[in-house]
Amino acid sequence: MRFIFSTLALLILPGLCTGAPPEKIGSAWVYRSDSNFEFAREDLAGAIEGRGLVISYVSHAQDMLSRTAGAVEGSATVYGDAEILLFCKADLSHRLVGENPHNIVLCPYAIAVYTLAGDPETTYLSFQAPPSDNDAYQPIEELLKAIVEEATGG
């Protein structure tokens, strides 16, 4: 139901999402969304599951960082909310590891959804940029981009 209302809102209210192109920041492709964390996370999960993919694990990154902050000197709160959704697509993963069995470190695929501590109004979705010398990862990168673009309305 949320997807239907989101789609209608995007048709009726242009500019609801930032529509900004992704930025390559460090080793990540970073997208911005004007949706709050809960809606952005729901839209991301919907974009993954809508392709028939199964989210195999959700890493509650902010919870882990908060829980372990006392053990690390000088740790500051970086995120308001932060989760990482992990999933695979069997045909792409088989091709990836068939090319090189050490590519297993690139599975499962991960997309992070998070807000920064000082800016709860902007939600970010990001994924690791692929190794530049790995042609087998290109279809995975295209899949990740398509999922995030759908989730952000881009």
Side-chain angles (χ1 to χ4, degrees):
M1 191 62 138
R2 160 86 173 101
F3 175 76
I4 293 169
F5 288 123
S6 294
T7 303
L8 289 173
L10 288 173
L11 293 173
I12 296 168
L13 301 170
L16 184 62
C17 288
T18 61
E23 295 180 65
K24 177 90 171 6
I25 302 174
S27 63
W29 282 110
V30 180
Y31 294 71
R32 295 172 195 260
S33 171
D34 288 335
S35 293
N36 68 30
F37 176 80
E38 291 80 17
F39 285 161
R41 190 216 181 277
E42 186 177 319
D43 289 342
L44 175 58
I48 293 167
E49 293 167 347
R51 288 170 167 72
L53 304 173
V54 175
I55 297 169
S56 58
Y57 183 74
V58 176
S59 171
H60 301 278
Q62 175 52 36
D63 293 346
M64 180 277 300
L65 291 168
S66 293
R67 187 177 57 254
T68 58
V72 180
E73 285 187 40
S75 63
T77 301
V78 176
Y79 304 102
D81 290 296
E83 292 185 3
I84 306 167
L85 283 62
L86 292 96
F87 59 96
C88 261
K89 188 167 188 309
D91 61 333
L92 298 180
S93 294
H94 279 278
R95 188 173 355 169
L96 184 68
V97 299
E99 179 181 285
N100 177 345
H102 304 292
N103 281 339
I104 195 167
V105 301
L106 301 173
C107 293
Y109 324 136
I111 300 177
V113 56
Y114 53 96
T115 60
L116 300 179
D119 183 16
E121 301 301 315
T122 304
T123 303
Y124 298 88
L125 289 89
S126 65
F127 60 88
Q128 183 176 0
S132 60
D133 63 345
N134 193 327
D135 292 336
Y137 199 82
Q138 183 177 3
I140 296 167
E141 179 182 27
E142 290 170 10
L143 172 67
L144 298 175
K145 281 184 179 181
I147 288 169
V148 172
E149 288 172 1
E150 178 182 331
T152 60

